[in-house]
Amino acid sequence: MDQNQNLEVKSTDLDGLLDAQEDESSKWYTKTIIQSELADYSPVKGCMVIRPYGYALWENIQRVLDKMIKDTGHQNAYFPLFIPESFLNKEKQHVEGFAPECAVVTHGGGKKLEEPLIVRPTSETIINHMFAKWVQSWRDLPLLINQWANVVRWELRTRMFLRTTEFLWQEGHTAHASEAEARHESLKMLDVYKTLAQDYLALPVLTGEKTENERFAGAVNTYAIEAIMRDGKALQAGTSHYLGQNFAKAFEIQFQNADGELEFAYQTSWGVSTRLIGAIILGHGDTKGLILPPKIAPIQVVIVPIYKNDNEKTTVLETCHNLIKNLKEKIRIHLDDRDNYTPGFKFNHWEQRGIPLRLNIGPKDVANNCVEMVLRIDGQKIPKTPLADLENILIGYLEKEQQRLFDRALSYRQENTHTVKSIAELSELIAKSPCFIQAYWQGDSHNEQQIKQDTGATIRVLMDSNVIGKCILTGKETSKIAIFAKAY
Amino acid sequence: MDQNQNLEVKSTDLDGLLDAQEDESSKWYTKTIIQSELADYSPVKGCMVIRPYGYALWENIQRVLDKMIKDTGHQNAYFPLFIPESFLNKEKQHVEGFAPECAVVTHGGGKKLEEPLIVRPTSETIINHMFAKWVQSWRDLPLLINQWANVVRWELRTRMFLRTTEFLWQEGHTAHASEAEARHESLKMLDVYKTLAQDYLALPVLTGEKTENERFAGAVNTYAIEAIMRDGKALQAGTSHYLGQNFAKAFEIQFQNADGELEFAYQTSWGVSTRLIGAIILGHGDTKGLILPPKIAPIQVVIVPIYKNDNEKTTVLETCHNLIKNLKEKIRIHLDDRDNYTPGFKFNHWEQRGIPLRLNIGPKDVANNCVEMVLRIDGQKIPKTPLADLENILIGYLEKEQQRLFDRALSYRQENTHTVKSIAELSELIAKSPCFIQAYWQGDSHNEQQIKQDTGATIRVLMDSNVIGKCILTGKETSKIAIFAKAY
């Protein structure tokens, strides 16, 4: 077998990807997850098993985000999984939003419970019950808490990572002495999410406010980061809510302000979940499988040794082991020394798993003190990469590939964002193929519902423009720009 | 007010502690947890809220253990919270052990479920269902998986950290191609737990096998690490199980061995939980509150500035801020610059929270380029500690205090471990005050139950001795030594 034939990796065919995703988008998505061993089906309806490769990706995301959450002054804590049913009923909008999605524990220890317990769909109610106990004076504020936890929302149509009955997330919950401070907090955390998405996941995101239709149940304002996927659809990747005094009033979180008066606290909550893994898959992947951003890839560099006989094997593997030894401190590197697979099989295997850089090492490379490097994004080959300075070269390429992945996604969003001046234009473009539509907007919830019914598109975020324009529906002047898209 | 009066910290009065724990042990325990803000009561029966200080302690334990688990070749993954009721019934002993403790979800999304779901009390069943899917050949083995998760066991009598309805833990689950390898794994992980307890939590532990009475439901052998608390009672701090082929047969985890024959896998499981925090509280605390081991203390060093006027305040705080700036990279250090509390209040505050080292800095200290250091273990004062070499001095003392805490606990165990030659002697000693009793033992479950009924003591672990002795019950010769104690 000619090993070199397998090295002929063609540039990623984006058209191929788009066709694949348009025609068989779901199949591609599921196949990619299963084959790359990110996750697996579970025997529990709507729940998935996150396999080690997927969980390592989640741990890397967690590590980055946890640091940002702590650096902005928040502390982690842990609150009960179960919430008394009566708690959920205390905030009217909240219960209306979540009651239909609840899993209910009715029996414990062999007995029927006096009051059923809800498995948390989100923890505002139980956390705010505790906040009421902890907050007395303005000196106790702000209270800046974060929780890493599992939550359960009974979903009818589930999809791995994107919408599962149980999922993992972090939920921040804060209480403040003033509206201004709480509003500032909700936007600050939106910005933290934007940094996470753009600088680490290489996903450019639009930030803005959600319309009433998509607002969190119980919030005054919901803000979101919204990313475009490689099939032109939108994916909400994180939300931050300004809750006003809604929950403070429901749970009696009162504090004595500096003037000695009793006041309800002003609050926020914000969260991102394992859905981010879905965003990475759909936002970067191609026909070959995953493409992972170097900064969070569980394996950043994989080495595939190439040899034809035992002599060559000894020489090549010795070089490989030395490389691992020298590089493993600074780079997440893996040597695929499995004996029972061909190099070609291994190339596919690691491409499918989205490893940013691959090093192919054969006897000639060893003799020449070099290695062949292959870039996952487009299959580009960098032959004769010198072993002498490999650490710096790899670190440089990991940074470059991180940036290139972001730039590629940004270009894709720019190419697939269209400005329209009429509803007709919007409908026509959306019908042609999923994309982002930018339009001046002053409509209401009902109008938005109508557009959703007609085109399948919803408003993903509302943004403020410096320039006034005419609403595509009413023709009235407005500074609000809406991004319409079909969404996951 | 004379600030110096507050510096007169007397040596820890151990007798005081023991009295306090013997007479009002539970009160002391709960008061310590609530006042040091490790945790709080929750509105859900049997569940607690882990507050930021307690969660930071848990995160430090997690960080250490997670690294050890990964260094021994295991990978983290995540499996569903819910387990179909039928799964629990597949392993006979397992269901008998856990069914009475289960929380049951009967409704989801507003509808009654066809099959009730159990909130995982432990994940053997669902994980082994997945293992059966993933394991085909000996090449797929060993399968070395760990999960960090919340679990729920419906407990009648709960106690914060020690026994709560919901708790946080890690559960390792492994499958192997041979009995020898699986047995080796279960003992290896027991050893990892011993290292965690001794080298990080400063808790000396005995390791050994559990008797049938205390065996994990479904295991062939259960091993445990067992620590002595400052009141003489025992606390089981971690368990590791050799499961044989019990679960493999129940869940059909079969593999083709190297000879092409179909064989059931050999398995282990092992776990430690937030109970470790209870062990730290009860294993080290004194009348003043917590004493935390430096290696896992969320705050290792606290600085309390002492001043009488604004001039002094400016001078002292400037030095404090410089110290924080220079030390924070290598030491978890905190400056208590609260204006509305006296130094005396702050001393108590941080002693209660168990901070290993306290630095008191007044204007004279600043003038003399030194600081007064106070050791939490015994209140010992190290006056005139030079600022010039403070980083190294602190690092040295943190190591020393870690060792001293372990040594103190070890001495305590030695002083409170008695070897007996008869049941009468055992009963008499246990009745006098809780302690560890060491005795040759060849009795059975029934005998052990009888001793429990008569004395309140159970066998915490069985160990192998090099020397043969006579069983205190039967008089028969045996090499098995049992450790009897009253247990948490």
Side-chain angles (χ1 to χ4, degrees):
Chain A
M1 163 191 174
D2 181 3
Q3 305 281 17
N4 289 320
Q5 224 167 7
N6 290 291
L7 299 181
E8 294 293 331
V9 179
K10 290 218 182 90
S11 280
T12 302
D13 183 353
L14 283 183
D15 294 337
L17 157 69
L18 295 181
D19 285 344
Q21 287 202 347
E22 275 184 0
D23 298 334
E24 310 218 323
S25 170
S26 288
K27 268 192 209 164
W28 173 86
Y29 180 72
T30 307
K31 198 181 108 188
T32 299
I33 290 172
I34 299 292
Q35 289 189 343
S36 64
E37 297 188 345
L38 285 177
D40 203 349
Y41 293 107
S42 92
V44 186
K45 199 176 155 291
C47 294
M48 63 191 276
V49 170
I50 306 180
R51 298 189 74 172
Y53 193 53
Y55 200 79
L57 188 56
W58 179 237
E59 284 183 314
N60 287 346
I61 295 171
Q62 278 191 301
R63 194 174 307 125
V64 169
L65 181 57
D66 191 65
K67 185 170 185 318
M68 288 200 277
I69 288 172
K70 284 174 178 159
D71 285 348
T72 44
H74 305 84
Q75 293 183 300
N76 288 338
Y78 189 78
F79 298 82
L81 170 70
F82 297 137
I83 296 176
E85 200 178 38
S86 58
F87 274 43
L88 213 65
N89 297 326
K90 288 194 182 186
E91 214 289 333
K92 190 174 164 293
Q93 288 180 307
H94 195 64
V95 67
E96 282 173 8
F98 283 105
E101 296 185 356
C102 285
V104 189
V105 176
T106 55
H107 291 71
K111 283 184 188 162
K112 189 166 189 238
L113 304 181
E114 283 178 26
E115 181 183 1
L117 294 171
I118 306 299
V119 183
R120 62 180 164 221
T122 178
S123 301
E124 273 76 9
T125 57
I126 194 143
I127 290 182
N128 287 325
H129 172 89
M130 297 309 296
F131 275 17
K133 202 172 158 184
W134 297 337
V135 173
Q136 315 293 334
S137 138
W138 62 272
R139 287 178 194 274
D140 302 321
L141 298 171
L143 206 47
L144 306 172
I145 295 291
N146 178 61
Q147 170 172 267
W148 290 96
N150 53 344
V151 286
V152 170
R153 297 179 186 174
W154 215 264
E155 301 279 1
L156 289 181
R157 267 165 307 200
T158 56
R159 210 160 176 197
M160 285 201 273
F161 290 115
L162 296 179
R163 187 170 281 110
T164 47
T165 298
E166 181 192 9
F167 57 93
L168 303 182
W169 79 344
Q170 61 66 221
E171 46 180 324
H173 297 271
T174 70
H176 305 262
S178 76
E179 174 175 347
E181 193 185 296
R183 285 196 173 278
H184 181 255
E185 164 82 8
S186 66
L187 294 175
K188 178 164 76 184
M189 297 320 290
L190 185 71
D191 206 50
V192 162
Y193 289 159
K194 184 179 176 178
T195 302
L196 173 70
Q198 302 205 148
D199 295 1
Y200 293 89
L201 315 187
L203 290 169
V205 291
L206 295 171
T207 59
E209 193 179 346
K210 287 279 169 186
T211 60
E212 200 188 329
N213 290 343
E214 310 242 333
R215 197 177 287 153
F216 177 73
V220 175
N221 307 93
T222 287
Y223 304 95
I225 55 167
E226 202 81 19
I228 195 166
M229 301 293 97
R230 306 261 333 142
D231 59 2
K233 282 195 194 172
L235 190 139
Q236 175 180 305
T239 50
S240 182
H241 316 292
Y242 170 63
L243 303 173
Q245 296 177 309
N246 291 348
F247 286 91
K249 284 178 181 163
F251 288 89
E252 298 180 41
I253 310 176
Q254 281 183 299
F255 67 97
Q256 202 160 35
N257 67 22
D259 301 326
E261 294 153 354
L262 222 50
E263 211 177 328
F264 287 107
Y266 300 85
Q267 297 194 268
T268 81
S269 69
W270 28 274
V272 299
S273 73
T274 34
R275 182 165 232 240
L276 288 175
I277 294 176
I280 293 166
I281 301 167
L282 288 164
H284 295 309
D286 66 14
T287 42
K288 289 181 189 157
L290 301 176
I291 299 183
L292 297 184
K295 282 191 187 171
I296 53 151
I299 299 172
Q300 296 174 308
V301 179
V302 66
I303 304 179
V304 176
I306 298 165
Y307 48 79
K308 289 197 194 100
N309 54 51
D310 279 356
N311 267 354
E312 288 185 2
K313 182 178 169 181
T314 308
T315 321
V316 168
L317 282 186
E318 196 194 327
T319 303
C320 292
H321 288 131
N322 281 337
L323 281 181
I324 293 283
K325 208 174 68 185
N326 296 334
L327 298 171
K328 72 174 178 190
E329 285 298 311
K330 296 207 180 160
I331 295 166
R332 295 189 291 273
I333 190 163
H334 175 75
L335 168 65
D336 186 352
D337 58 0
R338 291 177 291 177
D339 227 358
N340 45 335
Y341 295 100
T342 65
F345 177 92
K346 292 178 184 180
F347 297 163
N348 288 336
H349 180 90
W350 297 112
E351 277 166 359
Q352 197 171 61
R353 279 159 180 75
I355 316 299
L357 302 178
R358 188 178 77 234
L359 305 180
N360 303 328
I361 309 187
K364 275 187 194 162
D365 299 305
V366 173
N368 296 324
N369 265 312
C370 68
V371 68
E372 180 178 62
M373 179 161 64
V374 185
L375 315 182
R376 174 62 182 88
I377 295 181
D378 52 9
Q380 198 186 323
K381 289 189 287 182
I382 320 285
K384 298 192 179 147
T385 305
L387 287 182
D389 195 29
L390 196 56
E391 181 175 294
N392 288 327
I393 292 172
L394 290 177
I395 290 173
Y397 264 97
L398 288 172
E399 278 170 27
K400 246 165 74 177
E401 292 302 283
Q402 176 83 31
Q403 186 61 45
R404 210 151 67 98
L405 199 56
F406 177 83
D407 292 343
R408 192 181 77 139
L410 186 60
S411 300
Y412 181 77
R413 189 180 76 194
Q414 284 162 347
E415 288 158 18
N416 290 279
T417 301
H418 308 288
T419 305
V420 303
K421 296 227 161 79
S422 70
I423 299 281
E425 220 181 326
L426 182 157
S427 307
E428 195 184 335
L429 278 164
I430 288 282
K432 220 191 290 172
S433 78
C435 60
F436 274 25
I437 304 285
Q438 187 172 301
Y440 282 101
W441 178 256
Q442 221 207 23
D444 61 19
S445 292
H446 176 75
N447 303 142
E448 190 190 346
Q449 283 290 12
Q450 191 60 51
I451 289 177
K452 185 178 182 182
Q453 226 168 355
D454 295 346
T455 67
T458 51
I459 295 177
R460 304 317 303 154
V461 280
L462 281 172
M463 302 184 295
D464 288 309
S465 167
N466 295 324
V467 185
I468 301 286
K470 283 185 181 166
C471 169
I472 54 165
L473 182 80
T474 63
K476 282 183 200 160
E477 294 208 322
T478 177
S479 65
K480 289 276 176 204
I481 288 185
I483 300 293
F484 288 87
K486 288 186 179 176
Y488 273 98
Chain B
M1 160 192 178
D2 182 3
Q3 304 283 15
N4 288 321
Q5 226 170 6
N6 290 291
L7 298 182
E8 293 294 330
V9 178
K10 290 217 183 91
S11 279
T12 302
D13 184 353
L14 281 183
D15 294 339
L17 158 70
L18 295 181
D19 286 344
Q21 288 203 348
E22 274 182 3
D23 298 333
E24 311 219 321
S25 171
S26 289
K27 268 193 209 163
W28 173 85
Y29 181 72
T30 307
K31 198 180 107 187
T32 298
I33 289 172
I34 299 293
Q35 288 189 344
S36 65
E37 297 188 345
L38 284 177
D40 204 348
Y41 293 108
S42 91
V44 186
K45 201 174 153 293
C47 294
M48 63 190 277
V49 171
I50 306 181
R51 298 189 73 173
Y53 193 53
Y55 200 80
L57 188 56
W58 179 238
E59 284 182 314
N60 287 345
I61 296 170
Q62 277 190 302
R63 194 174 309 125
V64 169
L65 181 57
D66 191 65
K67 184 172 184 319
M68 289 199 278
I69 288 172
K70 284 172 178 160
D71 285 350
T72 44
H74 306 84
Q75 293 184 300
N76 288 338
Y78 189 78
F79 297 81
L81 169 70
F82 297 137
I83 297 175
E85 200 178 39
S86 58
F87 274 43
L88 213 64
N89 298 327
K90 288 195 181 183
E91 213 290 332
K92 191 175 162 290
Q93 289 179 306
H94 195 65
V95 66
E96 282 172 10
F98 284 105
E101 296 186 356
C102 285
V104 189
V105 175
T106 55
H107 291 73
K111 283 185 188 161
K112 190 163 188 240
L113 304 181
E114 282 178 28
E115 180 182 3
L117 295 171
I118 307 299
V119 184
R120 64 180 162 219
T122 177
S123 302
E124 272 77 6
T125 55
I126 193 142
I127 290 181
N128 286 326
H129 172 88
M130 297 309 295
F131 276 16
K133 201 171 157 184
W134 297 336
V135 173
Q136 315 293 335
S137 140
W138 62 274
R139 287 178 194 274
D140 301 323
L141 297 171
L143 205 47
L144 306 171
I145 295 291
N146 178 61
Q147 169 172 266
W148 290 96
N150 53 345
V151 286
V152 170
R153 296 178 187 176
W154 214 264
E155 300 281 358
L156 289 181
R157 269 165 307 201
T158 56
R159 211 161 175 196
M160 286 198 273
F161 289 116
L162 295 178
R163 188 170 279 108
T164 48
T165 299
E166 180 192 8
F167 56 92
L168 304 181
W169 78 344
Q170 61 65 220
E171 46 181 322
H173 297 271
T174 70
H176 306 262
S178 77
E179 174 174 348
E181 193 185 297
R183 285 198 173 277
H184 181 257
E185 164 82 8
S186 66
L187 294 175
K188 178 164 77 183
M189 296 321 288
L190 185 71
D191 206 50
V192 162
Y193 290 159
K194 184 179 177 178
T195 303
L196 173 70
Q198 303 207 146
D199 295 0
Y200 293 90
L201 316 187
L203 291 168
V205 290
L206 296 171
T207 59
E209 193 179 347
K210 287 279 168 188
T211 60
E212 200 188 328
N213 290 341
E214 311 241 334
R215 197 177 288 153
F216 176 74
V220 175
N221 307 95
T222 287
Y223 304 95
I225 55 167
E226 202 82 17
I228 195 167
M229 301 294 97
R230 307 271 317 154
D231 60 1
K233 284 195 191 170
L235 191 139
Q236 175 179 304
T239 50
S240 181
H241 317 291
Y242 170 62
L243 303 173
Q245 295 176 310
N246 291 347
F247 286 91
K249 283 177 182 164
F251 289 89
E252 297 179 42
I253 309 176
Q254 280 183 299
F255 67 97
Q256 202 159 36
N257 66 23
D259 301 327
E261 293 155 354
L262 223 48
E263 210 176 329
F264 288 107
Y266 301 84
Q267 297 194 268
T268 81
S269 68
W270 28 273
V272 297
S273 72
T274 34
R275 182 164 230 240
L276 288 174
I277 294 176
I280 293 166
I281 301 167
L282 288 164
H284 295 308
D286 66 15
T287 43
K288 289 182 190 156
L290 302 175
I291 299 184
L292 297 185
K295 281 191 189 171
I296 53 150
I299 299 172
Q300 297 174 307
V301 179
V302 66
I303 304 180
V304 177
I306 298 164
Y307 46 80
K308 289 195 193 99
N309 54 50
D310 279 358
N311 266 355
E312 287 184 5
K313 182 179 168 181
T314 308
T315 321
V316 168
L317 282 186
E318 196 194 327
T319 302
C320 291
H321 288 132
N322 280 337
L323 282 180
I324 293 283
K325 208 174 69 185
N326 296 333
L327 298 170
K328 71 176 180 190
E329 284 299 312
K330 295 207 179 157
I331 296 166
R332 295 189 290 274
I333 190 163
H334 174 74
L335 169 64
D336 186 352
D337 58 0
R338 290 178 292 177
D339 227 356
N340 44 336
Y341 295 100
T342 65
F345 177 92
K346 291 179 183 178
F347 297 165
N348 288 335
H349 180 91
W350 297 112
E351 277 167 1
Q352 199 170 60
R353 279 159 181 75
I355 316 299
L357 303 178
R358 188 179 76 236
L359 304 181
N360 302 328
I361 308 186
K364 275 187 194 162
D365 300 306
V366 173
N368 295 323
N369 264 313
C370 68
V371 68
E372 181 179 61
M373 178 162 63
V374 185
L375 314 182
R376 175 61 182 90
I377 295 181
D378 52 9
Q380 198 185 323
K381 289 189 288 184
I382 320 286
K384 298 194 177 140
T385 305
L387 287 182
D389 196 28
L390 196 58
E391 182 175 293
N392 288 327
I393 292 172
L394 290 177
I395 289 172
Y397 265 95
L398 288 172
E399 278 171 25
K400 246 165 76 177
E401 292 301 285
Q402 177 82 30
Q403 186 61 46
R404 208 151 68 98
L405 199 57
F406 177 82
D407 291 344
R408 193 181 76 137
L410 187 59
S411 299
Y412 181 78
R413 189 181 76 195
Q414 284 161 347
E415 288 157 18
N416 290 279
T417 300
H418 309 288
T419 304
V420 302
K421 297 227 161 80
S422 70
I423 299 280
E425 219 183 327
L426 183 156
S427 305
E428 195 186 333
L429 278 164
I430 285 282
K432 219 191 292 172
S433 78
C435 60
F436 274 24
I437 304 284
Q438 187 172 300
Y440 283 101
W441 179 257
Q442 220 206 24
D444 61 17
S445 292
H446 176 74
N447 304 143
E448 191 190 347
Q449 283 290 10
Q450 191 61 51
I451 289 178
K452 186 179 182 182
Q453 223 166 358
D454 296 345
T455 69
T458 50
I459 295 177
R460 305 316 304 155
V461 281
L462 281 172
M463 302 182 297
D464 287 310
S465 167
N466 294 325
V467 186
I468 301 285
K470 282 184 182 166
C471 170
I472 53 165
L473 181 81
T474 62
K476 282 184 198 157
E477 293 208 321
T478 176
S479 64
K480 288 276 176 205
I481 288 186
I483 300 293
F484 289 87
K486 289 186 179 176
Y488 273 98

